[in-house]
Structure formats: structure tokens, C-alpha cells
Amino acid sequence: MPLGEFLDSLYVSEYFSQSAQKLSFYSWYGNAKLFHFHVPEDTVLLRWLLQASRGKGPECTSMEITVHFRHGAPPVINPLGTRFPANATVRPSYNISITLSSAVQNTTFVNVTTPAAGDWFIAAHLPEAAGRIEVKGFSTPCPYMFQADMFVLRLTDMPVLEPGVPMPHTVVSPAKPLHVKVFVPKHAAGMRFQLSSCVTSEQRACTVRVLLGSITLPQSFQRSLTCTGSINCSLALESPPWEKWLQIMVESLGTANASVSVEMLASFTVCRPGSISSFLNFISLNQSQAGARPGAAGSSAPAAGEAPGNASGQRSSCLQSQPVVREDLDVVSVRYRLLNGPGVPVSSLHPTLLLLNLNTGMDSGGSLVVSLLLNKTSVSLANATVAACVSAASPVLSLNATQNCSTAFSQGYPLSVSTSSAEAMLIVLYPQTDDWFLSLQLLCPKGQGECASAEGRVAVFAYLTPCFNDCGPYGQCSLLRRHGYLYAGCSCKAGWGGWSCTDDTKAQSVGTQNLATLLLTLSNLMFLPAIAVAVYRFYLVEASVYTYTMFFSTFYHACDQPGVAVMCIMDYDTLQYCDFLGSVVSIWVTILCMARLKKILKYVLFVLGTLLIAMSLQLDRRGVWNMMGPCLFALLIMVTAWVHHGAKRRHCYPSSWKRWVFYLLPGITLAFIAISVYAFMETNENYYYTHSIWHVLVACSVAFLLPPRDKHKKPWAWSQKLTCRYQICQNDREELYAVT
């Protein structure tokens, strides 16, 4: 077999595809369409095929699509440039732009060599939403579609570099790099990689480049090492990722036809943890469940009492491990409980380590919150500081005053507490799927010798929540789903913005919120003139419908407000349904009343139309034809009836020009203006007064459009029938039995 075919047989390609999604203009994270892929182990090449397309209608214009990438968790994005909550960690996502101009479709490739194995996420969205409220069916939005496919090339049998065992290998050519992997054991404090015996087949100077680690986005901490000649070269790494396969790629920088022979050696420095035995942890767990709660004085006393007895063991170890229990509460909701209580002893001899397990694959869609509280009385030195680092994959084992919480292939998040600032909090948005570690150590400004015998106690509270602070009073935490993967996002209200609805740059004041509520609710009182006109003209059924509409529209808008001025007398969905039903039925009965049909036919159409409207609203509450359909059908009935009346009387109907000038034309004008405001002028910013104008115009148009009462009926004639008087009553019984 030729050498080229032999090398090609070592690789296998795999293809993964997900269905296309319709993109949305961005206003919150729920508008971004998420794609979730899983990259297998031993992958040496990852290629994404990104396909964007748009419709062909005249409403479709040039558009720029933004695509974000991230390994381990959904990308944290901020297209609107809003503020994140305080103490939140924000690292910009890696993104590219795809432009759809004259072309209907755009295809883009993104290549990643030696990618990290595990979950990869892609989020795509359109630019910021315009904020205009569009009525469903009035306009046809342009469809913008996006699809992401993944192609991977991986080695079927990647060589394994055993720790402490020299391994000779040959790099065939610069086009065929060498890939090996080494397994990093748990509690590895450091790793040393050494390359030696570099010899070329053409007896020339040996030049190779070694890449350690895999590429992750948005940040990549891949380490590079260039070796020239036969001199040994090495690279030392601190805190490599625990219990992970570490990829190593060696490529030749020499001539195209020369092969290179090298020898590799990997060695590890193991950090032996000092902790309470597992049996004592089990006893502590049973005591905490049967007796006092974790964190109480009774449960933390045994740990404090055991510390002196384990002093010799702690001095010989390089870290102190604290037992942590993971408690799953709900979807993307986890609480971490320390078996020995929330108070963690911290010394200067070695760091204290806590493991926060987030490797289930379903934890990356929330926010990890770590809070530290220093017990000031537990620190004997007033100028001492407790430094902390939160990191993924591997812990930070060397904390000092100048360190930045970096490990071999990742960047952690620093925290610190002292007697002057006893509290600290860290919020990790969408933490990557991995084991997370919290390292704490006591530091002194004059060196560790100053606080060798000192010890502090820090209360640690850690939990995973879908939305930090439940999005606050001006936001709603929504659980989103993509092919079984669950993640959360905040939808903000009342002008508030940001990841957790904490940005008040465009927030409405309390006065503005009260004004909006008053306008949207009190504007429904304009139905009172229409109700009075209907009652005066003896249209009692119509008056009942207007009263129903006014009541539920008032309390629906009182419950629908985004701010603090909210009052809900019943379930929100019920109020919304009743408001929509009353609005459509009001238009239905008004137009049928204008048709001047026979009473029996009019009431049959009232009831039948109301039942059909209720059914259609249940199917699609916001569909435009739920209102336009009954309106057009009622108008058709009215025009037919008017034509019939006109033909029967042999003149135009209604015949009075005063009726047309002072009632019908003003009413029709108000109705058309109301429809125009409702369909084309409403935005999120002006909703509270444009929708109030809609209420006023519709109510006033009803008062103008209601036809006059029947000529043979007197106003309030029904009230005279309630009381029998001698001058208007007759003896029906006597008349019944009269003999003629």
C-alpha cells in the first residue's frame, strides 16, 4: 500500500447537519437561533458550512447576519451594547458577519484545526429590531433562513504518549503533521513536555513546531513551542486540565520532501490533596441530614476540631480539599452544599479547593453564582487578604498577589475578600460544561511568612440559576429549548435592558409607568357614551357587549403593564382572551345593528357570529383575519340589507343627508383612523398612547355609527312597562274569557 493511502486510511470523516431556522431581528437572547453540535474526540479538523438565504419578494432587502461561536456553552452576546449586571464576567464571543445583498444565498466556511472535543454552539441573528408592532397578516415580513452543518475529520487511532516513557515518532512532511495525545491525571499540578533527538532525513537543520492543547472559542490558549536543531527543547505547563486528553501536534517547518524523526517525553507533577477521609465525610453527611442544617454551629464544629489533628497531613500536601455536595433543584438549577458548613478554613500554607460539578451537559444554559463572605473575627491579621480563583477544567494551585488566575489552557476569574471588603461575588454567564474549581488562599502583603500560623474562615455560597436574580422586577426569565438542550434568557420590560434587565439607560420612570397604565385603562371609559347611546336607543344587547368590552379591556391593560403599576384581577391569559373577544364582537354587533335587520335574524347572527369568533380566537388569537373576517362579512350583510331597503323604498338608504353628514361619515372616518393607528403606527415606545388613541377612536366611532331608534318606540319605553298603572293596564284575564 502506498504511504499516502496508508495515511489517508487513518482518518475518518463525519458529517452532522441541523435543520434551517428562520432568523429574527434581535431584541433579547430568545431572538438568536441556537445550533448545538458535539465534536468527537481525536478530531483534527472542524469545518462549518454556514448557509444563509432570503426570500425573493420586494420586501426583502440587503441584510447582515451575525454568527457567534463558542465551545462548551452558548455564546454570551451583546448586540445592543447594553450593560451587564455588576460582578458578571463578560468575554466577547467570536463572531463573523454574513451579508446578503444582491445574492439570494450566501455560503460561508469556517475552519478550526485541532478543535476541542465536546459541545460547540452557534448563535445567529439579524440586526436590532426596529420596535414597530406589526399586526399579523397586515404585512409580509421577508424570511431570512440560516442553516449550519458540521464536517469533522478525526484520526481513527491517535498515538498515545505515556507519561514518563520516551516516544520516537516521524513527521512525514509539512503537509502531514504528527498528532499524539496524552492523558492528564487528576491532581496534576504541572506538566513538562520535552522534545529531543530531532533528526531530518536529508541531514539538515531540524526545525519543528509543537502545538499543545486544542482550539477553543472565543478565546484559545493553545501553547506553541518551536524547536531548532538537535538541542532538547521543553515547555512547562502549570495546572493542566484534569482527567482530559491533551492533543499534541508536531509539524515540520523544513523542506517539503524531508521527513523528521523526533522523540517526545511527557512528565507530570502530582499534587497530593489533604482532606478529611471519605468515611468521615459520609458521617458528616448523615449528621447534617438528620440533625442541624449544614452551616450551623453544630455541623461545622467537627471540622474545626479535626483541623489540628490533621495538621501534619496538611503540611505534607499541596492543597486542602473540601467536600461539596451537588443538589439538583430544577432545570438548570443547582445548589452546592458544603458538608462541613458554609464556613471554609483558609490558610497560607496551601490553597483550599472546592469542586463545583457542571459537567452534566445541561448546566451551561444558566448562570453560575459564587459568593464569598469573610468572617472578620477569624483573621488574626488585619492586613491579610483571602485570594480566590474560579476556574474550569483545572484549579489554580499557586495563588499570589500578582497572579491572574490563569491555568495551562484557560483563564480563571479572580476574587478577593479582606477585613475592609468582606464580601465578593462572581457571576459566570453560561458557564462551559466542565468541572469548575474554587481555590482560596490567605495572602499577606509582607510574604507568606507573616501569616504562616494565621487562618481565616470564609463562608462560600455557590449555586447555578437559570437567570441571575430572576431577571429583576422588570424582566421575565424564559426557558428556551433547542433539540432537547435547555437554556435561559431574560426578556426585559419598561425600557430596561441588559443580560439580567439591570441596564436602566432607557428605563421608564415610575411616573411614566403610572401614566401609561392610566392612559391604557381610563381611555376605555370612552365606551360610556357609546353605552349611553345604545341604552337610550333601546339597543340593550349592544350596550351589554360594549360594557363587557370596556370592563375586560380596562383590566387586561392594567394587568399587561411591564412596570410596577400592575393589577391583575384574574389570570392574564383569561383577561387577554376576553379583551380580544369583546373587541371583535363589538365590531360585529355594531355593523349588524347598522344593517337594520329583523330582530330574530339579527339576534341569531349575534349569537352565531359570537360563537364562531370565539372559536377562531382560540385557534389564532393574534391573526388579523379574526377581526377582518367578521368585519368584512358584517359589512357584506349591511350593504346587502341597505341595497334591499333602498330598492324597496326606491331611494338611497339611509335617506337622510343629515344622517350621512353628521353621523355616518364622522363614524367611518374615526374607524379608518383607528385602524390606521392600530396597524401602522404602534411601536414599543409609543404603545401606551397610540393604543389609547385606538380605544378612544373606536369607542367614539361606535357612538356615531349606531342607528337611530325605531320611530314607533319612545325612549325609555321599557321602564314604563315595569310598573302597572290603571291608565295603561288592561285585564288580560277578563279579555281571555270574554264571550263574543
Side-chain angles (χ1 to χ4, degrees):
M1 179 184 295
L3 182 59
E5 295 182 6
F6 172 75
L7 290 174
D8 292 339
S9 65
L10 298 178
Y11 294 92
V12 62
S13 61
E14 297 179 4
Y15 188 79
F16 304 90
S17 179
Q18 290 192 7
S19 59
Q21 297 190 60
K22 185 178 180 180
L23 298 180
S24 303
F25 290 94
Y26 191 89
S27 61
W28 69 294
Y29 201 89
N31 299 130
K33 304 305 179 183
L34 193 69
F35 296 82
H36 179 202
F37 295 96
H38 186 81
V39 177
E41 293 283 350
D42 300 342
T43 298
V44 296
L45 176 62
L46 166 63
R47 171 174 291 182
W48 275 299
L49 171 62
L50 310 178
Q51 303 179 69
S53 61
R54 61 176 176 87
K56 299 180 180 179
E59 67 278 1
C60 296
T61 59
S62 298
M63 191 62 60
E64 185 177 80
I65 300 172
T66 306
V67 185
H68 306 263
F69 303 85
R70 190 185 177 192
H71 168 259
V76 179
I77 62 178
N78 188 19
L80 306 182
T82 54
R83 294 200 305 265
F84 286 87
N87 305 316
T89 62
V90 181
R91 290 172 180 169
S93 65
Y94 175 79
N95 62 82
I96 64 172
S97 296
I98 300 176
T99 303
L100 288 173
S101 54
S102 58
V104 179
Q105 186 172 359
N106 190 330
T107 302
T108 305
F109 293 93
V110 177
N111 296 332
V112 180
T113 57
T114 62
D119 295 330
W120 282 79
F121 294 86
I122 298 176
H125 61 85
L126 297 176
E128 180 181 358
R132 191 168 72 88
I133 301 176
E134 296 184 355
V135 181
K136 185 178 179 181
F138 264 47
S139 60
T140 304
C142 178
Y144 295 94
M145 307 299 295
F146 180 82
Q147 181 177 358
D149 299 333
M150 184 180 74
F151 169 84
V152 296
L153 185 67
R154 63 185 182 91
L155 279 171
T156 56
D157 188 15
M158 184 177 291
V160 177
L161 179 62
E162 297 184 7
V165 178
M167 183 178 186
H169 269 289
T170 301
V171 183
V172 179
S173 66
K176 298 287 186 178
L178 171 66
H179 295 273
V180 298
K181 62 180 180 180
V182 60
F183 187 77
V184 181
K186 192 175 182 180
H187 302 134
M191 170 185 170
R192 184 178 181 85
F193 175 81
Q194 182 176 340
L195 190 143
S196 60
S197 304
C198 186
V199 179
T200 64
S201 59
E202 298 179 353
Q203 303 299 323
R204 295 183 180 180
C206 177
T207 304
V208 296
R209 182 173 60 181
V210 183
L211 296 176
L212 291 87
S214 304
I215 292 181
T216 58
L217 297 176
Q219 287 180 307
S220 182
F221 297 88
Q222 197 175 37
R223 307 294 293 272
S224 176
L225 174 66
T226 302
C227 301
T228 303
S230 59
I231 304 176
N232 296 346
C233 61
S234 61
L235 179 65
L237 303 174
E238 293 186 359
S239 299
W242 287 1
E243 297 185 294
K244 296 283 195 310
W245 286 102
L246 179 62
Q247 279 200 37
I248 302 175
M249 184 179 73
V250 182
E251 57 182 352
S252 173
L253 301 180
T255 58
N257 299 325
S259 61
V260 178
S261 299
V262 295
E263 186 177 83
M264 292 176 286
L265 176 65
S267 57
F268 294 96
T269 303
V270 178
C271 177
R272 188 173 68 86
S275 63
I276 304 172
S277 65
S278 59
F279 175 75
L280 293 179
N281 289 344
F282 179 74
I283 296 297
S284 175
L285 177 61
N286 289 340
Q287 290 177 351
S288 64
Q289 291 178 347
R293 294 184 59 190
S299 61
S300 60
E306 290 167 354
N310 292 342
S312 60
Q314 293 176 5
R315 292 190 186 97
S316 60
S317 63
C318 65
L319 63 90
Q320 179 69 22
S321 180
Q322 291 290 326
V324 179
V325 174
R326 171 190 165 116
E327 294 182 351
D328 291 278
L329 305 178
D330 205 339
V331 178
V332 201
S333 183
V334 178
R335 181 179 63 182
Y336 297 96
R337 181 164 58 90
L338 279 71
L339 293 183
N340 300 325
V344 176
V346 182
S347 66
S348 63
L349 300 178
H350 45 67
T352 301
L353 187 64
L354 285 77
L355 171 63
L356 308 177
N357 189 338
L358 288 174
N359 60 5
T360 64
M362 298 299 294
D363 304 324
S364 56
S367 298
L368 175 64
V369 182
V370 178
S371 179
L372 306 180
L373 178 60
L374 176 65
N375 187 350
K376 296 182 180 181
T377 60
S378 66
V379 183
S380 58
L381 299 175
N383 57 355
T385 302
V386 176
C389 284
V390 179
S391 58
S394 58
V396 179
L397 301 178
S398 58
L399 287 82
N400 52 59
T402 59
Q403 62 87 28
N404 58 358
C405 292
S406 61
T407 60
F409 299 103
S410 64
Q411 175 62 49
Y413 306 99
L415 283 171
S416 64
V417 289
S418 61
T419 54
S420 59
S421 179
E423 296 183 18
M425 177 182 287
L426 174 69
I427 307 169
V428 182
L429 307 176
Y430 288 165
Q432 66 188 65
T433 299
D434 217 324
D435 286 333
W436 285 74
F437 300 91
L438 172 62
S439 305
L440 303 101
Q441 191 170 3
L442 189 65
L443 303 179
C444 291
K446 296 183 180 180
Q448 297 303 92
E450 181 184 3
C451 51
S453 60
E455 184 180 78
R457 185 165 289 269
V458 179
V460 178
F461 302 94
Y463 58 92
L464 179 72
T465 180
C467 301
F468 175 69
N469 200 24
D470 201 23
C471 300
Y474 295 101
Q476 179 181 359
C477 183
S478 300
L479 198 63
L480 310 171
R481 184 179 66 179
R482 173 58 181 165
H483 287 178
Y485 175 77
L486 298 175
Y487 59 107
C490 287
S491 177
C492 305
K493 307 174 182 178
W496 289 73
W499 190 269
S500 300
C501 301
T502 55
D503 189 349
D504 58 352
T505 304
K506 301 179 180 179
Q508 297 178 0
S509 63
V510 177
T512 304
Q513 297 174 29
N514 292 330
L515 176 62
T517 303
L518 291 175
L519 284 176
L520 288 169
T521 54
L522 298 183
S523 60
N524 289 283
L525 297 179
M526 290 304 296
F527 274 98
L528 290 175
I531 296 172
V533 171
V535 172
Y536 178 79
R537 298 177 181 177
F538 208 66
Y539 297 123
L540 301 184
V541 175
E542 291 83 345
S544 302
V545 173
Y546 302 152
T547 304
Y548 175 93
T549 302
M550 180 184 68
F551 177 84
F552 280 104
S553 180
T554 299
F555 287 100
Y556 163 65
H557 286 290
C559 183
D560 186 51
Q561 293 310 298
V564 295
V566 181
M567 184 183 71
C568 298
I569 62 172
M570 60 180 69
D571 182 65
Y572 173 83
D573 188 70
T574 303
L575 289 172
Q576 186 188 67
Y577 181 82
C578 294
D579 171 59
F580 287 17
L581 178 64
S583 301
V584 181
V585 173
S586 296
I587 299 174
W588 171 254
V589 300
T590 301
I591 300 177
L592 289 181
C593 183
M594 294 171 61
R596 304 302 290 263
L597 304 172
K598 291 184 178 180
K599 285 188 176 181
I600 184 63
L601 179 59
K602 182 178 74 170
Y603 294 137
V604 167
L605 291 176
F606 277 4
V607 176
L608 182 60
T610 301
L611 294 176
L612 293 176
I613 291 170
M615 179 198 67
S616 64
L617 287 175
Q618 181 64 29
L619 295 175
D620 186 8
R621 189 171 300 180
R622 296 188 177 276
V624 67
W625 286 105
N626 291 328
M627 180 178 293
M628 296 298 296
C631 289
L632 295 177
F633 187 63
L635 286 172
L636 179 62
I637 295 175
M638 185 191 72
V639 171
T640 304
W642 281 10
V643 171
H644 173 73
H645 294 325
K648 187 176 181 181
R649 300 183 182 185
R650 297 184 182 278
H651 57 76
C652 181
Y653 185 86
S655 57
S656 173
W657 66 271
K658 294 182 179 180
R659 178 69 186 164
W660 281 98
V661 173
F662 296 108
Y663 295 98
L664 291 180
L665 290 180
I668 294 173
T669 303
L670 291 174
F672 272 104
I673 296 175
I675 293 174
S676 300
V677 171
Y678 178 80
F680 305 110
M681 294 181 61
E682 286 188 356
T683 63
N684 294 326
E685 287 75 17
N686 64 15
Y687 174 79
Y688 65 93
Y689 61 82
T690 53
H691 201 76
S692 301
I693 294 174
W694 152 263
H695 289 163
V696 174
L697 293 176
V698 168
C700 293
S701 67
V702 168
F704 278 98
L705 293 175
L706 279 175
R709 66 178 182 274
D710 294 335
K711 294 182 179 180
H712 66 277
K713 285 184 184 256
K714 296 181 180 180
W716 310 99
W718 57 275
S719 62
Q720 298 180 9
K721 297 181 180 181
L722 296 179
T723 306
C724 182
R725 304 189 188 277
Y726 289 105
Q727 64 271 21
I728 64 173
C729 290
Q730 59 183 357
N731 192 339
D732 295 334
R733 183 180 180 87
E734 182 179 346
E735 183 179 348
L736 180 65
Y737 292 98
V739 179
T740 57

